[in-house]
Amino acid sequence: MHVEIEQVAQVEVPVERAKAAIALMADYQGRVTELSRIRREAIEEAAAAGMSQSEIAALLGVSRGRVGQLAAQGPPPERAFFGTDLMTISLGGKYEAGKAPDEMGEVVAREDLDNFEHLRKLFGTLKLDAQYEVIPPTGIVNLNRDNHVVVCGPRLSPIVAQVLEGDDNLRFQKDRAWHLVDLKTEEVYRSPMDEDGSAGDVGYLARLPRLDGKGTFIYIAGIHAIGANGVVHYLENHLPELYRDVRTRRFSTLISCRYDPKTLEVLESTRVSPIYRHEA
């Protein structure tokens, strides 16, 4: 018997044994889901390299029809871009405006709640569940965990701002207004909202290193809050090709968006900078 199963079987209290069994089953199911993703990706890569289904079937020791089934089973390969288990989306919080200090609660921008809903639906297509948490106005957030997306501007979190300084390619800066700068090309990206008041913004998308050096997290932010929505819109429409390009490696890029000023619905999103890879 497998060691983990044997340990569960030896739990004396029946209810505790049942709880342990449920937890282990969930862990095993998560592993099965991720392994099916890896299998699907491997078959797709073999086919893309020029192998026929018959050749793949012969090497796997299965029928040609079974290869077709395996290639359609499991979550899509790009699931790995985000994670392998329950996703946590950290949203930047602010104090309520217009209230006395002792009455101010913590609130999240409407745009960020919309981002959570869009990401939750996207994760659903990848067979990932999601939950969100609010980063307190102090900006303190735990970056040292797996399966993590942070949607919070550097103005709201000094910890995030510190991590962003490690990007030698793209940077948030401020003069008369906040903007983004490509340090390699010296091109400046300003929000149309600040230039002529039109309904557009620019956002930053990256996979950045955790502070403990043991992994990474996905980071999304806009010059204004709506810029993050543009990044999420881009992920909804371009995730497969983005994953093929960067996989799970560290990178950063900029996304421009246009939105409906009445509904705040993003109408289009476009990558406007190169995809900068942070690893050799």
Side-chain angles (χ1 to χ4, degrees):
M1 185 182 296
H2 195 280
V3 174
E4 292 175 315
I5 298 177
E6 189 172 328
Q7 290 174 342
V8 170
Q10 291 176 353
V11 175
E12 294 186 3
V13 181
V15 173
E16 294 301 318
R17 190 186 318 133
K19 287 170 62 177
I22 290 170
L24 187 58
M25 289 171 67
D27 178 52
Y28 280 5
Q29 184 56 52
R31 298 186 194 187
V32 169
T33 300
E34 178 58 13
L35 286 169
S36 66
R37 184 204 68 80
I38 294 171
R39 180 184 61 193
R40 176 175 171 176
E41 182 175 36
I43 291 174
E44 289 183 4
E45 287 181 359
M51 293 183 66
S52 67
Q53 282 199 345
S54 297
E55 291 173 324
I56 295 172
L59 291 172
L60 292 181
V62 300
S63 68
R64 184 178 180 278
R66 180 57 176 158
V67 170
Q69 292 176 341
L70 295 178
Q73 291 177 353
E78 58 267 24
R79 177 184 195 256
F81 180 86
F82 290 107
T84 60
D85 207 337
L86 175 66
M87 297 295 304
T88 298
I89 304 169
S90 298
L91 306 176
K94 303 178 182 179
Y95 286 121
E96 289 181 284
K99 291 190 176 182
D102 59 342
E103 296 178 346
M104 291 190 299
E106 297 175 5
V107 296
V108 174
R110 168 189 167 185
E111 293 91 334
D112 284 341
L113 289 177
D114 286 344
N115 280 327
F116 170 70
E117 285 303 319
H118 279 271
L119 285 171
R120 184 180 62 81
K121 291 177 182 177
L122 174 59
F123 292 158
T125 67
L126 303 173
K127 296 189 178 181
L128 287 168
D129 292 325
Q131 63 184 3
Y132 81 85
E133 65 178 19
V134 178
I135 301 173
T138 57
I140 302 302
V141 56
N142 176 18
L143 300 178
N144 298 330
R145 43 185 161 161
D146 297 329
N147 309 306
H148 192 198
V149 177
V150 176
V151 184
C152 175
R155 289 170 287 181
L156 298 181
S157 174
I159 293 178
V160 167
Q162 180 181 356
V163 175
L164 285 174
E165 289 181 1
D167 186 347
D168 295 328
N169 307 289
L170 303 169
R171 190 72 53 84
F172 280 91
Q173 292 184 358
K174 184 180 181 182
D175 44 27
R176 56 184 170 82
W178 282 93
H179 56 277
L180 283 154
V181 178
D182 186 322
L183 301 176
K184 299 297 184 182
T185 65
E186 298 185 351
E187 186 166 357
V188 176
Y189 298 86
R190 295 187 181 274
S191 173
M193 296 169 64
D194 299 322
E195 296 300 286
D196 57 17
S198 60
D201 200 22
V202 182
Y204 175 97
L205 168 64
R207 179 184 299 280
L208 299 174
R210 290 169 20 174
L211 295 177
D212 63 2
K214 297 180 180 179
T216 59
F217 65 96
I218 295 296
Y219 180 68
I220 296 170
I223 295 176
H224 297 283
I226 195 69
N229 298 63
V231 173
V232 172
H233 182 273
Y234 182 83
L235 288 171
E236 290 176 306
N237 292 280
H238 299 279
L239 182 60
E241 57 260 44
L242 179 62
Y243 174 70
R244 285 194 295 270
D245 203 344
V246 301
R247 299 288 174 145
T248 59
R249 296 183 291 272
R250 289 166 49 195
F251 76 96
S252 60
T253 191
L254 301 182
I255 308 297
S256 174
C257 73
R258 187 173 61 85
Y259 64 93
D260 185 322
K262 294 181 179 179
T263 65
L264 298 183
E265 177 186 359
V266 175
L267 303 175
E268 63 181 21
S269 57
T270 307
R271 182 168 59 82
V272 291
S273 80
I275 296 177
Y276 288 108
R277 292 161 183 79
H278 298 187
E279 303 171 8

